Structures are given as structure tokens and as C-alpha cells.
């Protein structure tokens, strides 16, 4: 029995030690690195190296300066002045009443054609007829007063002569002689007074007859009735100003356009210059006209000084009507076959130091150091000339000296070395 116990003990399973566990799981040994990780790291490294080389090359590559350009053309240039105004009839007159009274008849309507001397309206003549009768009677009475005064004067004159003869004979006193002479003088004065009164009454009678004749409103010209401003039964008062009853136009085939020209432009406007205008009734049509005259009197509106100019308009087709508002364009200067460059080119100056497309930066023309354009401007042959910059096919700028002639704001006519088809620089774009 005692001999079997050790054998059972030796046959029991052995408990693993910590060293056995570590040996089983491979602790203390480096695991092999996966191949896919190695390949990924290689790709990233190669890309980083290539990107660095690309970035360094682009950093060394010069940026290209881009320019906004405009084309040089050849054609007609018109310098114009813009103004607005109102159409009016030539020879238009206002017909009014010179006497007061009630309108009895109106014999014409608007747009009616009338002839000179034609009766347009009549004022009730009753009151003025009474004035004529009254002043005529007063004149007749004054004529009678003259006859009476002359008879009295004759009597006084004879009495004076008789008194003077008696005084020579000593038959009357000196005082009686003086009385006779004074009576004769008063009688002569009475005759003069009667004649003056007769003249006054004669004038009053003539005035009354003249007023009576003015109760008929007469057309002063041949023409057309533009407006009738009175109706039968209306009372007109001709006191401080003549009331207007009709407006007549001599001929609607000829109109005038009065426009206001700004003081800054009036120096370029001259009589005889051609012009065109538009009206709202015909927005797609241009009507020709000609500058007829410029008035010397200035008008000031809200601090703006303008001068009135009159344009003659042919309205043979009777398309236009008086009173229409028109926008006129007056051609102050016109050049045919002119070399035209965009006006913006005169405001361009290359001051950046960046290179141009096609090569390294030029020392002067291609955008040299700041102040290069000023140096070129100082080298002009004529101080009245200007310096423009032409973009050549190589992408470089070349200066061209020109003499500006006239401009319409958008294009400028020049003389010099500029040729049609050239591209002039207008502005510098962002470098790329």
C-alpha cells in the first residue's frame, strides 16, 4: 500500500509555469510586418517626393501678366451734345380781347383753318354802343358850346372897341374901359375852353367807336386754330392784361424745338449744326433738325446754368405736334475714316513689375519697374500727345505715341502710328 502512493502522485498533471505560458504565445519575439503596409508606405513616400518637386518647380515658374485689351478700328466719329426741350409752332400767336364784355358768339373750333380778317368770336356790343351814343352826344354839345362861346366873344370884342372909342372922347371912365377889355379876354378864353372840351368829347367818341369795333375778335394771320379758350356766355375782363381767347399757328409744317444746353457744352454748339431728336410718340424714329440760334440769356434752375437753343424742324408729314417733349442730339463735330481707340486706353499705365507672356520681363515696355510709364510719358515728342500701350503677339507691351483729336466718351479719334487691328491695353488683369 505504501509503495503505490508515490506512483499516483507522480502521475498527476503538471501545472504550467509562467515561462511556459510566455513561450507558448511567443512573448519576447518580434512579429513579422505585413507586406501590404510596406507597399502603402512606399506609395505615400514616392507621392510626397514628387509633390515636393512639382511645388518647387511651380514656385520657380514666373506668373503670366494678363491684360484686358480693346481693338483699334477705323470709321466715323461723332461728338454730340444731348439736350431736351419742347416743340412749338412757328409764328404762333395768341388772340385776345381788348375790351370787356360777355362773349356772344364763338364762330370757330380747334383745328379750324382761318384766314386773316376772319371773325373768330363776338362780344355783346350793347354796352359799347351806348357809350358811342353818349360820347357822340357830348361831342355835339361841345360843338354847340363852341358856337355859343364864339358869339359871346364877338359881343365882348365889339363892346371893348366901343369903350375904347368913348374913352378917347372922354365919355366914359377909365374903369369902364378896363371892364370892357377884361370881358373881351374872358370871352376869348371861353372859346378856347369850349374847343378843348369839344376835342375831349371827340376823342371819347372815337374811343367808344374803336371799342365797339373790337367786339368782333378778328384773326390776325392765316393759319390754324391750336386752342379755343372761350365759350359763349363767358365774360372777359380786359383790365391789366389781355385775356387770351384763341391760339393760332401760321403753319404746322414748320416747327421749332427749344432745348436747354448746359453751360459746359454751349461752347461747342454753333448755328447750322445738324441734330436729331426723338419724341415719346415715335420712340423708334429719329427726326432730323438743324440748330437755328442760341440765345445769350442764361437760365438758372437749381443751381444749374443753361442756355436756350432753337432748332428748326421740318414737319411736312404733320407727324409731330406742338407741345411734344423731345430729346435732341446735336452733332458738334464729325470725323470720317478716323483711327478710333477705346477711350479707356488713355487711363491705362503699366506699373507692375511682373513678366509678360512669352518671356522675361522687358526693362521698359513690358511692365518694368514702377515709374516706367511716367518716364515714357516724359519722353513724348509733343506734350499734347498721349502714350498708349499696344499688346503685341508675343504678349509684350509696346508704347505708341498718339495725338487725340476728338472723343465721344467711348472712342477717341487719334493720329500717329496707331493702325486698325491693333490691340491696346485697357487694364491689367490678375496674374495667373
Amino acid at each position: 500500500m505504501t509503495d503505490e502512493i508515490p506512483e499516483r502522485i507522480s502521475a498527476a498533471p503538471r501545472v504550467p509555469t509562467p515561462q511556459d505560458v510566455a513561450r507558448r504565445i511567443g512573448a519576447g519575439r518580434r512579429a513579422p510586418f505585413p507586406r501590404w503596409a510596406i507597399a502603402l508606405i512606399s506609395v505615400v513616400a514616392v507621392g510626397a517626393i514628387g509633390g515636393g518637386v512639382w511645388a518647387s518647380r511651380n514656385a520657380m515658374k514666373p506668373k503670366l501678366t494678363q491684360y484686358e485689351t480693346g481693338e483699334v478700328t477705323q470709321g466715323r466719329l461723332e461728338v454730340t451734345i444731348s439736350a431736351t426741350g419742347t416743340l412749338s409752332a412757328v409764328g404762333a400767336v395768341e388772340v385776345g380781347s381788348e375790351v370787356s364784355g360777355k362773349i356772344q358768339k364763338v364762330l370757330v373750333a380747334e383745328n379750324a383753318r382761318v384766314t386773316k380778317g376772319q371773325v373768330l368770336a363776338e362780344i355783346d356790343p350793347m354796352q359799347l354802343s351806348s357809350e358811342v351814343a353818349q360820347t357822340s352826344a357830348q361831342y355835339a354839345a361841345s360843338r354847340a358850346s363852341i358856337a355859343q362861346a364864339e358869339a359871346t366873344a364877338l359881343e365882348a370884342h365889339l363892346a371893348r372897341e366901343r369903350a375904347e372909342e368913348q374913352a378917347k372922347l372922354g365919355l366914359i371912365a377909365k374903369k369902364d374901359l378896363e371892364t370892357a377889355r377884361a370881358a373881351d379876354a374872358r370871352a376869348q378864353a371861353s372859346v378856347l375852353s369850349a374847343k378843348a372840351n369839344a376835342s375831349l368829347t371827340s376823342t371819347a367818341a372815337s374811343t367808344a367807336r374803336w371799342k365797339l369795333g373790337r367786339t368782333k375778335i378778328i384773326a390776325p394771320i392765316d393759319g390754324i386754330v391750336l386752342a379755343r379758350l372761350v365759350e359763349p356766355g363767358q365774360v372777359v375782363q380786359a383790365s391789366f392784361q389781355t385775356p387770351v381767347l384763341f391760339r393760332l399757328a401760321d403753319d404746322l409744317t414748320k416747327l421749332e424745338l427749344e432745348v436747354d444746353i448746359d453751360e459746359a457744352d454751349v461752347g461747342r454748339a454753333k448755328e447750322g449744326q445738324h441734330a436729331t431728336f426723338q419724341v415719346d410718340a415715335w420712340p423708334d424714329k429719329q427726326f432730323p433738325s438743324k440748330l437755328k440760334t442760341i440765345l445769350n440769356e442764361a437760365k438758372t434752375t437749381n443751381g444749374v446754368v443753361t442756355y436756350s437753343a432753337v432748332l428748326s424742324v421740318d414737319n411736312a408729314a404733320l407727324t409731330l405736334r406742338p407741345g411734344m417733349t423731345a430729346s435732341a442730339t446735336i452733332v458738334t463735330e464729325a470725323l470720317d475714316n478716323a483711327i478710333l481707340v477705346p477711350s479707356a486706353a488713355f487711363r491705362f499705365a503699366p506699373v507692375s513689375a511682373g513678366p509678360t507672356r512669352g518671356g522675361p520681363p522687358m526693362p521698359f515696355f513690358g511692365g518694368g519697374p514702377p515709374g516706367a510709364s511716367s518716364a515714357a510719358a516724359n519722353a513724348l515728342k509733343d506734350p499734347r500727345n498721349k502714350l498708349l500701350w499696344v499688346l503685341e503677339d508675343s504678349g509684350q507691351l509696346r508704347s505708341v505715341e498718339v495725338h487725340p483729336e476728338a472723343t465721344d466718351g467711348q472712342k477717341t479719334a487719334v493720329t500717329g502710328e496707331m493702325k486698325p487691328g491693333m490691340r491696346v491695353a485697357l487694364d491689367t488683369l490678375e496674374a495667373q
Side-chain angles (χ1 to χ4, degrees), residues 171-186:
L171 299 176
I172 60 173
K174 185 178 181 180
K175 181 179 179 181
D176 294 336
L177 177 60
E178 292 175 352
T179 300
R181 289 176 176 175
D184 184 24
R186 285 193 296 269

Side-chain angles (χ1 to χ4, degrees), residues 50-92:
V53 173
W54 179 85
S56 62
R57 289 181 178 178
N58 277 275
M60 298 176 60
K61 184 179 180 180
K63 294 184 178 180
L64 301 178
T65 302
Q66 302 290 330
Y67 296 100
E68 179 185 355
T69 61
E71 184 179 0
V72 179
T73 59
Q74 185 173 10
R76 178 179 175 86
L77 177 72
E78 291 185 348
V79 183
T80 61
I81 294 175
S82 298
T84 58
T86 305
L87 290 168
S88 60
V90 177

Side-chain angles (χ1 to χ4, degrees), residues 286-310:
Q286 293 279 350
F287 296 91
S289 61
K290 183 179 291 187
L291 184 57
K292 183 178 180 182
T293 184
I294 304 174
L295 304 184
N296 292 319
E297 185 178 4
K299 296 189 300 184
T300 304
T301 305
N302 296 329
V304 179
V305 179
T306 58
Y307 292 86
S308 296
V310 180

Side-chain angles (χ1 to χ4, degrees), residues 182-250:
D184 184 24
R186 285 193 296 269
Q188 296 297 330
S190 297
V191 172
L192 295 177
S193 177
K195 289 182 177 180
N197 187 43
S199 179
L200 290 174
T201 55
S202 176
T203 301
S206 298
T207 301
R209 287 192 294 270
W210 176 85
K211 288 183 178 180
L212 182 61
R214 294 302 185 273
T215 55
K216 293 184 177 181
I217 310 302
I218 306 298
I221 60 172
D222 295 337
I224 187 172
V225 179
L226 295 179
R228 188 184 79 172
L229 306 177
V230 67
E231 297 296 335
Q234 183 176 343
V235 177
V236 295
Q237 294 290 337
S239 52
F240 296 103
Q241 60 183 5
T242 301
V244 178
L245 307 182
F246 301 92
R247 288 195 181 95
L248 305 182
D250 184 13

